[in-house]
Amino acid sequence: MTKDNSGWHPPMLALLAWRNLWRNRLRTSIMVCAMVFGLVGVVVMLGFMTGMYANMIDNAVAWQTSHLQVHNKDYLLDPDINSRIRAPESVLAELSQSSEVQGVSARFVVQGMLASPRASRGIRINGVDPAAEARVTPIADNITQGGWLEAGGRHPIVISEKTASRLKLRLGSKVVLTFSNADKAVSGAAFRVAGLYRSPSSTFDEANAYVRRADLTALAGLDGVHEIAISLTKSDSLDNSRAKALARRLSSVLAPQDRVRDWQEIQPMLATIIAQMDTSNAVILLIFISALGLGIANIMLMAVFERTREFGVLMAIGMVKRKIMGLILLESLLLGLTGALLGLLLSMLVIALLANTGIPLGNMADGLGAFGVSTTLYPQVTLGQYLSTLAMVVIVSLLAALYPARQIVKQRPVDAMSQKH
C-alpha cells in the first residue's frame, strides 16, 4: 500500500479545494449564479404549491366540513329529511366537556328550491342556531351586505352574493323557499334576504343558504338535527390526529345508527391531495436537482481535465490517489454548498416577503375559486423542505464529481504528466 507522506491534511485539502474552485472565477461565478436563481425559483414554486394546497384545505375545513361531522348513516346514503341523528343529546353533552372543541353547530338540513320573481334554483337550506354557527364557520364574519341571522324578525335568510346575482335579488328582497316535508308533501314559506355573504369557494356559495333552525323545523313538521359540525381549537389542517382522537371518543357515545367522520373522510379528495403533496414537490425538486447535477458535472469535467498534468505531478511527489479523489470531491462539494447556501438564504428572504404581502391571483382567482382557493396566496416552506433541498444538493454535488475524479485517479502519474492539457 502506498504511504502518503505528502503532508496533505484535511484542512489543507479544503483550503486547496476552495482556492482551486476560484482559479476560474468567471466560470465558477456563472455556475453559482445559476444555482442561486434556480433554487430561488424552485423554492418559490414549492412554497406556492404548498400554500395553495394549505389554503384550499383550510378554507374547506373552515367553511364546509369543519373538523368533524356527525350524521345518521342513512342520511349519508340518502339525505332524506326523516334521517335524523338518533342521539344528538349524548354527543352534545360529550362535546361540552371537551376543551379541544371551539364550537358545535347542530343543523337541520333540507334540499329545497329557492325562488325569486325572476328565477329559481336548487339549494341546500341550512337551519342553524345563529350564535352556534358563528363559532363553527366564518360565515358571520364574511357578510358583505346586511347582517347575520338575528333572533328577532320573521323568516330571515342569508344567501351568497353569487346566488343573489343569479336570482336577481338584493338585500330585503322576498324569496320563496320550498322543500318536501316529513310527509313528502311540498312545504314552503316566504323569507326575506337579511344578509349576503361571500366565501372563497364559488361552488359553496351557489349551493348553501342559511335560515334559523326553528323556522325550518316548524315548516318541516319535524324536530331534531341532521348534522352536527364540530370545530377544534389550535388545529393544524395538515395534521388530522386530534380530530381522529376526538372521533374515537365520540364513537363511544353515539347511537348505533349514527356515525362520526373527520374532514378527511368527508372530503377524500383533499386527503388525497395531502397524501400526494410531498410526492409532487419531490418530483419538482428532483427535476431541478438533476439539471443541477449535470451542470456541476460539466463544470468539474472542464476544471479537472484542464489540470491533468497538475494532478500527475501531485501523484508523482507522493500524494495518494484517494486524496486526489478527495480533493476533486471537495471542490465539487464546496461549489454545491456555496450555491445552495446562497440560494436558500435568498429563497428564505423571498418567501418571508411573499408570506407577508401575499401573491394576488388576479384573473386566476375566478377559476381557482371553484376549488375553494382564496384570491391571495401566501407561500409556505417548512424548515424540513429547506434542509432536504440542501441535503439533495450536497449529495448531487458529490455524485457529479465521481466520474471526473475517477478519470484522473485511474491514470499513472507519467501518463497524466504527459497530457498537454
Side-chain angles (χ1 to χ4, degrees), residues 79-93:
D80 187 89
I81 193 171
N82 291 303
S83 300
R84 294 159 293 170
I85 298 174
R86 293 294 176 85
E89 297 82 6
S90 58
V91 177
L92 296 175

Side-chain angles (χ1 to χ4, degrees), residues 23-95:
R23 290 166 76 175
N24 190 324
R25 294 177 183 273
L26 178 61
R27 185 169 61 199
T28 303
S29 298
I30 290 174
M31 187 62 205
V32 169
C33 289
M35 293 175 65
V36 169
F37 288 111
L39 270 175
V40 171
V42 168
V43 171
V44 170
M45 181 179 292
L46 292 179
F48 181 85
M49 298 295 290
T50 304
M52 186 176 69
Y53 291 146
N55 181 262
M56 187 188 307
I57 293 167
D58 286 342
N59 287 336
V61 171
W63 286 88
Q64 302 178 37
T65 65
S66 301
H67 293 100
L68 291 162
Q69 287 186 1
V70 179
H71 293 94
N72 186 309
K73 292 178 182 176
D74 292 337
Y75 184 86
L76 298 176
L77 300 174
D78 177 19
D80 187 89
I81 193 171
N82 291 303
S83 300
R84 294 159 293 170
I85 298 174
R86 293 294 176 85
E89 297 82 6
S90 58
V91 177
L92 296 175
E94 176 70 20
L95 293 173

Side-chain angles (χ1 to χ4, degrees), residues 149-157 191-192 194 212 215:
L149 297 171
E150 296 181 352
R154 180 175 170 78
H155 289 178
I157 184 172
F191 284 73
R192 194 171 295 279
R212 291 182 305 219
D215 294 340

Side-chain angles (χ1 to χ4, degrees), residues 129-283:
D129 174 71
E133 186 69 22
R135 288 194 292 272
V136 173
T137 65
I139 187 167
D141 298 326
N142 286 271
I143 299 294
T144 56
Q145 295 183 48
W148 180 228
L149 297 171
E150 296 181 352
R154 180 175 170 78
H155 289 178
I157 184 172
V158 172
I159 60 177
S160 69
E161 287 183 339
K162 189 172 285 293
T163 300
S165 175
R166 291 185 181 279
L167 298 183
K168 311 297 181 187
L169 295 171
R170 59 184 179 181
L171 204 62
S173 296
K174 186 178 286 187
V175 295
V176 176
L177 209 57
T178 56
F179 57 91
S180 297
N181 62 19
D183 300 323
K184 306 300 179 186
V186 176
S187 179
F191 284 73
R192 194 171 295 279
V193 178
L196 303 179
Y197 72 88
R198 181 171 55 201
S199 79
S201 171
S202 56
T203 306
F204 177 84
D205 285 356
E206 293 179 354
N208 287 273
Y210 291 85
V211 301
R212 291 182 305 219
R213 191 173 71 214
D215 294 340
L216 200 56
T217 54
L219 290 173
L222 281 176
D223 204 354
V225 295
H226 298 101
E227 181 175 286
I228 297 177
I230 304 155
S231 177
L232 303 182
T233 57
K234 300 178 182 177
S235 178
D236 181 357
S237 295
L238 298 180
D239 180 10
N240 202 33
S241 58
R242 296 174 69 237
K244 287 184 177 296
L246 182 58
R248 286 193 292 272
R249 294 211 307 272
L250 288 179
S251 298
S252 62
V253 299
L254 288 177
Q257 192 60 26
D258 297 334
R259 182 186 175 193
V260 59
R261 298 179 301 163
D262 60 66
W263 67 268
Q264 290 189 0
E265 294 177 281
I266 302 169
Q267 292 271 17
M269 186 190 75
L270 293 181
T272 303
I273 287 175
I274 292 177
Q276 295 183 349
M277 187 168 62
D278 289 340
T279 303
S280 61
N281 286 344
V283 169

Side-chain angles (χ1 to χ4, degrees), residues 105-116:
S105 179
R107 300 166 180 161
F108 189 92
V109 182
V110 298
Q111 303 295 327
M113 187 71 71
L114 187 66
S116 72

Side-chain angles (χ1 to χ4, degrees), residues 330-410:
L330 267 176
E331 291 180 21
S332 182
L333 176 63
L334 290 174
L335 176 62
L337 272 178
T338 302
L341 291 177
L342 290 176
L344 291 178
L345 181 61
L346 185 57
S347 300
M348 293 173 73
L349 294 175
V350 173
I351 291 295
L353 177 65
L354 293 178
N356 185 44
T357 61
I359 303 175
L361 295 179
N363 295 331
M364 294 173 57
D366 290 339
L368 291 175
F371 301 96
V373 179
S374 300
T375 55
T376 302
L377 280 185
Y378 296 88
Q380 299 178 15
V381 180
T382 64
L383 178 61
Q385 288 175 314
Y386 283 121
L387 293 177
S388 62
T389 303
L390 177 62
M392 290 182 71
V393 172
V394 169
I395 293 171
V396 167
S397 300
L398 292 174
L399 293 177
L402 286 178
Y403 177 74
R406 185 174 178 276
Q407 295 302 309
I408 290 297
V409 298
K410 74 179 183 180

